[in-house]
Amino acid sequence: MNERTRVFTGSLWEPVVGYCRAIRVGNRVEVVGTTAMKDGEVIGVESAYEQTKSIIKTIEEALHKVGANLADVVRTRMFVTDISKWEEIGKAHGEFFKDIQPVATMVEVKALIDSRLLVEIEAEAIVSGE
């Protein structure tokens, strides 16, 4: 049976909801829906572009903690509160993933957990060489 390696970020919601930021089982890594929230503050308020960049950096940090990196990402899912901002979200996503090119989904949702949050991203990775 494969061991589970978990990453926690100290989010107030982790113990309440019962989740971790990322989990690695074998060569698979799953990263939970991640927002631009850091220490209770929203990074890039009113900027979907800045929020997306912040989110992907957080995802990258979580991946590193389980021995993976962005090049291992095979899928991203982007949940956005205003699909008309797809170009700025896509631009930020492309700055990190233009050469990696995982499959990606972007869907509009009614709301996220905090009204200032514009984007939430999940990621799946398969660590190569295993």
Side-chain angles (χ1 to χ4, degrees):
M1 182 143 176
N2 288 321
E3 180 181 330
R4 293 174 186 227
T5 305
R6 292 177 178 86
V7 174
F8 295 92
T9 58
S11 161
L12 298 174
W13 299 311
E14 287 173 347
V16 173
V17 178
Y19 73 92
C20 60
R21 171 71 45 213
I23 190 166
R24 179 174 176 168
V25 180
N27 68 339
R28 294 188 54 84
V29 181
E30 300 282 342
V31 182
V32 73
T34 302
T35 63
M37 184 78 70
K38 193 137 195 155
D39 300 322
E41 297 299 320
V42 175
I43 308 298
V45 174
E46 297 184 19
S47 172
Y49 173 79
E50 290 300 326
Q51 286 191 22
T52 302
K53 285 184 12 179
S54 173
I55 292 164
I56 296 172
K57 288 176 185 175
T58 299
I59 289 171
E60 184 175 36
E61 290 170 15
L63 289 168
H64 287 163
K65 289 179 180 176
V66 295
N69 58 59
L70 289 178
D72 297 314
V73 173
V74 296
R75 171 182 289 281
T76 60
R77 289 182 188 91
M78 296 168 272
F79 305 95
V80 304
T81 59
D82 183 353
I83 200 71
S84 73
K85 298 184 184 296
W86 74 267
E87 287 183 90
E88 61 185 284
I89 296 163
K91 178 182 177 190
H93 186 275
E95 288 175 9
F96 291 90
F97 292 110
K98 70 178 177 169
D99 295 326
I100 301 164
Q101 297 185 326
V103 294
T105 301
M106 183 185 300
V107 295
E108 184 176 61
V109 296
K110 181 178 177 182
L112 296 172
I113 200 162
D114 182 302
S115 63
R116 299 170 296 167
L117 295 170
L118 308 172
V119 182
E120 182 168 328
I121 302 174
E122 295 179 346
E124 296 177 29
I126 299 174
V127 180
S128 56
E130 298 200 15

